[in-house]
Amino acid sequence: MSETELDNVETLADLADLAREATQDDDSVLVFIEQEDAWFAIVRVDGEEDPRIFVSDGAAAARSSYGSVLTDELVDQAGESEFGDLDNLVAELEEEAEAEEQDDDEEGGTHGGVPVGPLGDAHLLTEFGFAADALLSLSGEGAVPGDALEEIAEALGCGEVLEAVR
């Protein structure tokens, strides 16, 4: 684990390439991202496979430049899997327009089309012994992203390394 500067990361592909450079083999690489105790994200890169992403609060992440790289990708992925035909696409777009009119603070609301709350693959750490429900519980209302990442790192056996790069 090392601290990496994200200034040159403009796309998820850039982030995945940066993560792949951190390993000599095709080992799994976990990228922990935290924004000023507003949200956190974990990106898992396994060799040349597509990255798996979890964001603790999609709407909060969408408001930051590098967070929006992740949330845009997750919203695009959700769209690809949910839209089976043109009728569904039209219905979904109408629902999105209605949802955007709702207040962002409303429970289950959205911010710019990105849901408030956890977003992405909550199962990305299960192979390492960290259950999806545990990850989701660290992402709920009132959770502190820095503390959540610390707890995750401790459970994965890399807490000291995370603390060293902070």
Side-chain angles (χ1 to χ4, degrees), residues 54-73:
F54 177 82
V55 178
S56 66
D57 185 338
R63 291 188 289 267
S64 82
S65 59
Y66 55 87
S68 66
V69 168
L70 303 176
T71 58
D72 290 351
E73 181 69 24

Side-chain angles (χ1 to χ4, degrees), residues 30 44 122-135 151-152 154-157:
L30 297 175
R44 178 177 173 176
H123 296 278
L124 81 166
L125 299 176
T126 56
E127 289 178 47
F128 303 112
F130 202 87
D133 59 342
L135 185 57
E151 186 172 329
I152 294 165
E154 286 294 327
L156 298 177

Side-chain angles (χ1 to χ4, degrees), residues 15 19 34 68-69 100 114 116 127 153-154 163:
L15 181 60
E34 175 189 1
S68 66
V69 168
E100 286 180 23
V114 179
V116 173
E127 289 178 47
E154 286 294 327
E163 195 59 39

Side-chain angles (χ1 to χ4, degrees), residues 105-152:
D105 295 332
E106 190 174 303
E107 185 69 30
T110 64
H111 174 77
V114 179
V116 173
L119 182 64
D121 184 356
H123 296 278
L124 81 166
L125 299 176
T126 56
E127 289 178 47
F128 303 112
F130 202 87
D133 59 342
L135 185 57
L136 290 169
S137 73
L138 293 172
S139 305
E141 189 173 323
V144 179
D147 293 347
L149 285 180
E150 188 175 310
E151 186 172 329
I152 294 165

